[in-house]
Amino acid sequence: MTEVNSMETITTSSKLLCVLLFTGILLQYAGRSSISVVLVELQKPPGNNTLTNVSKSQVQYSQFQAGVILSSVYIGMLPSSLIGGYLAYRFSAIRVFLASIGISSIVHGGGAVMFDDFETAVTQRILAGMAEGLSEPATFGVLNQYLSPEQSARVSPFIFAAIFLGQFLGIFATGFITQRLVWQAPFYIFGGLGITCAAVSVVFAVAGMAKKRDALDRNKGDIKKMKSIPVFRIFTSTAVWASILLQAAPYFWDPSILPLYFSQSFGTKTELVGVLAGIPILIFGVLEPLFALVENTLCKHVSTTAARKSMAVIVGDANIFDIAPRYASVISGICRAICRVVGLTFPLLVTAITKNKSSQEWSRVVLIKACVLAATALFFGAFGSGEEQPWAVEVPQGQSGGTQPGSRKDHKVDDENRPLFKK
């Protein structure tokens, strides 16, 4: 069968849309990961602060307080991930995404003031999490609304590589910024960049499109779709859970823990913490799109299931578009909510294990992470799938004039004539 939805059929507007998604996620994760390096500086006694030409923090956070601050962002992200999946499925996903980037950037900029006190720092992270949690489910919704499932599966690893590249940027840059400017500077810089990105995206994607509106969330079919979500099938599908667990496993070693790991386990200086902590994140961010290219080639010679299992650790995000493309944003919301639970509890577990901040205690943390990854890989190898699930296939209506979307193998998308924002 001829493949109609190849990468060559992606329009220029869709490519620009992917760049927008990539940039927004990149800046959002850069701001979030910068917090972990700032906390390394704020754990030092005020009198021994290494800053020489700037204002000094009046607080010294304990190891437990640092863990609470790192975890608290997931308190806000837990409900907003589910809400984001719903909103991106019911309404215009691109608007949900832009709202997430803009609001989270404003809140992040406020951290420069709120991090002078433990209670307000926790409050800031919860508020930031409520805004940030919308973005990833919205990204799946955007891809589902404007690209075919095959195209979405191909481009998603490249878009979500921004998660790792953003973490690298935030961790790497913040170590130098806090030493040469003020510790508040990362809040202003990344917050300002995020606000600029959201504003520019709105101007070019909305106002610049001659007031065109996305009709996907206006037609009557959307209300019917919401009533037809197979919630029971989703929660009882082993393929869905294999995909969810595959994406949740990395949160057992949140990259925000890396600066504390290098600082306490090896005694690394603040300016080098960002460099060392950023290297493994950068490597993974580079490998993800490279392995995605390899996987795209494998899909031409072996089954999608075999290709996904062979590259599972690298391109797990694409699997949702394989098994249930119509419900990508909904499943992503559920997946991200579970990831937030892991992200919320694991930093607290780490700080409980590393009370003495010794290398032996950190070795136990590394061992736990290795065991979790191994168990997840085995589970995905046994129950993972690359085929669209029967309950997720949409059947052509065929009678009343209109049609419901069919199976992705039978559903052709006129990508060349499909605008980013419909009238």
Side-chain angles (χ1 to χ4, degrees), residues 52 78 96 142 148 162 211 237 243 281 300 329 337:
T52 57
L78 177 57
V96 177
V142 171
S148 70
K211 298 183 179 180
S237 171
S243 181
I281 301 173
K300 299 177 181 179
S329 63

Side-chain angles (χ1 to χ4, degrees), residues 23-24 26-35 37-38 101-102 104-110 165-175 177-178 183-198:
T23 305
L26 177 82
L27 294 176
Q28 201 169 62
Y29 270 85
R32 187 194 306 176
S33 61
S34 68
I35 301 297
V37 181
V38 171
I101 300 301
S104 65
S105 299
I106 294 173
V107 175
H108 184 76
L165 297 178
Q167 290 169 341
F168 168 77
L169 175 63
I171 291 177
F172 181 84
T174 304
I177 292 173
T178 56
W183 65 265
Q184 296 96 333
F187 293 101
Y188 295 129
I189 294 174
F190 293 117
L193 288 174
I195 294 172
T196 302
C197 174

Side-chain angles (χ1 to χ4, degrees), residues 369-412:
K369 169 65 174 179
C371 292
V372 169
L373 286 178
T376 304
L378 291 174
F379 188 88
F380 187 81
F383 300 104
S385 175
E387 304 303 323
E388 188 171 7
Q389 301 301 292
W391 49 266
V393 176
E394 303 168 76
V395 181
Q397 189 172 347
Q399 293 291 337
S400 60
T403 59
Q404 296 177 347
S407 170
R408 64 179 180 177
K409 294 183 179 179
D410 301 321
H411 179 49
K412 297 184 180 181

Side-chain angles (χ1 to χ4, degrees), residues 35-36 39 65-74 256-257 260 343 347:
I35 301 297
S36 58
L39 286 175
Q65 286 177 321
V68 171
I69 292 174
L70 291 175
S71 296
S72 57
V73 67
Y74 295 108
S256 62
I257 298 294
L260 293 178

